Amino acid sequence: MDTTPKGILTPRDIDEKGRYYFVRKAIDAGEVVRLKNGVYATEEGLSDTMVDIERIIPGGVLCLYSAWDHYGLTTQIPGSIYVAVEKHRKVVVPEYPPITLCYWEQKYYEMGVVESEVAGHRLRIYDIERSVCDVVRFRNKVGMDVMTEVLRTYLSRKDRNIARLTEYARKMRIGSRMTQYLNVMV
């Protein structure tokens, strides 16, 4: 029986499987790395391009560049994993993998969250329409070129839902701006 831990582990995983002794031994041998208090990773877990965000940041939601990349809306390669958390929440992120936290008000944080499989992990991520609204909302931070690319790619998709897009835009208080960009691009 292989008792070596795999991927990203938390104390709950260790307790459930009775593997604390093996994790401790693996840390001493250099096979497992402590990412932060209570979160450990194996080489296999570190080499993965996407980690199980729920284990590192419980309740975190994949957003911005990471969501746009997942949906194929941009050619930009995210330099880190972008994770939204509720404003005023205290979160400690490990040095690796690189994670950029986005602190959002509760009404924006909860809007459009879906569960999806990303690189073999079940993660919470904003749906595609919400992600497109985010690019318009943060157009001055991400750049007009990124915003234009995401909007054009979204509008070229067969599965687009303009009604949902405009509803999210209205709730996020960017409805008139979204309408203006949609009129120009369509």
Side-chain angles (χ1 to χ4, degrees):
M1 181 172 114
D2 182 19
T3 55
T4 308
K6 304 281 188 228
I8 305 289
L9 295 171
T10 61
R12 189 176 70 180
D13 300 320
I14 296 166
D15 291 342
E16 283 178 2
K17 298 176 181 159
R19 294 187 178 176
Y20 182 78
Y21 168 77
F22 297 107
V23 170
R24 189 76 241 156
K25 192 173 173 181
I27 290 171
D28 293 341
E31 298 169 358
V32 172
V33 176
R34 179 178 173 266
L35 296 178
K36 71 175 199 172
N37 190 23
V39 180
Y40 307 91
T42 62
E43 287 181 26
E44 178 182 288
L46 290 174
S47 66
D48 199 354
T49 56
M50 178 59 64
V51 295
D52 192 351
I53 294 299
E54 188 62 30
R55 291 175 186 258
I56 296 174
I57 306 170
V61 182
L62 222 55
C63 65
L64 299 178
Y65 287 98
S66 298
W68 303 329
D69 181 54
H70 171 69
Y71 292 120
L73 296 174
T74 184
T75 56
Q76 304 283 322
I77 299 171
S80 65
I81 301 169
Y82 284 78
V83 179
V85 293
E86 200 169 343
K87 195 174 187 175
H88 304 297
R89 182 174 163 199
K90 303 278 189 237
V91 177
V92 177
V93 295
E95 288 183 34
Y96 187 86
I99 296 174
T100 302
L101 292 176
C102 303
Y103 294 93
W104 291 346
E105 293 178 37
Q106 183 178 8
K107 63 182 176 182
Y108 298 127
Y109 169 73
E110 294 175 347
M111 188 185 312
V113 176
V114 295
E115 276 199 15
S116 181
E117 185 157 320
V118 181
H121 301 283
R122 292 281 311 150
L123 302 176
R124 291 166 30 107
I125 186 171
Y126 290 113
D127 67 18
I128 192 167
E129 285 78 19
R130 164 61 197 270
S131 297
V132 171
C133 286
D134 286 339
V135 79
V136 172
R137 184 174 173 214
F138 297 110
R139 65 192 174 280
N140 294 329
K141 291 183 180 182
V142 300
M144 294 301 281
D145 56 333
V146 174
M147 185 199 73
T148 303
E149 178 186 29
V150 169
L151 275 173
R152 284 181 200 251
T153 305
Y154 174 76
L155 292 172
S156 69
R157 294 174 64 115
K158 300 269 188 244
D159 63 342
R160 68 183 182 265
N161 186 335
I162 302 297
R164 186 182 306 150
L165 180 72
T166 55
E167 178 64 21
Y168 282 145
R170 185 188 60 75
K171 288 179 181 177
M172 294 172 75
R173 303 180 64 158
I174 56 167
S176 61
R177 183 70 59 184
M178 180 66 78
T179 304
Q180 187 178 31
Y181 288 130
L182 291 176
N183 287 337
V184 168
M185 292 189 174
V186 172

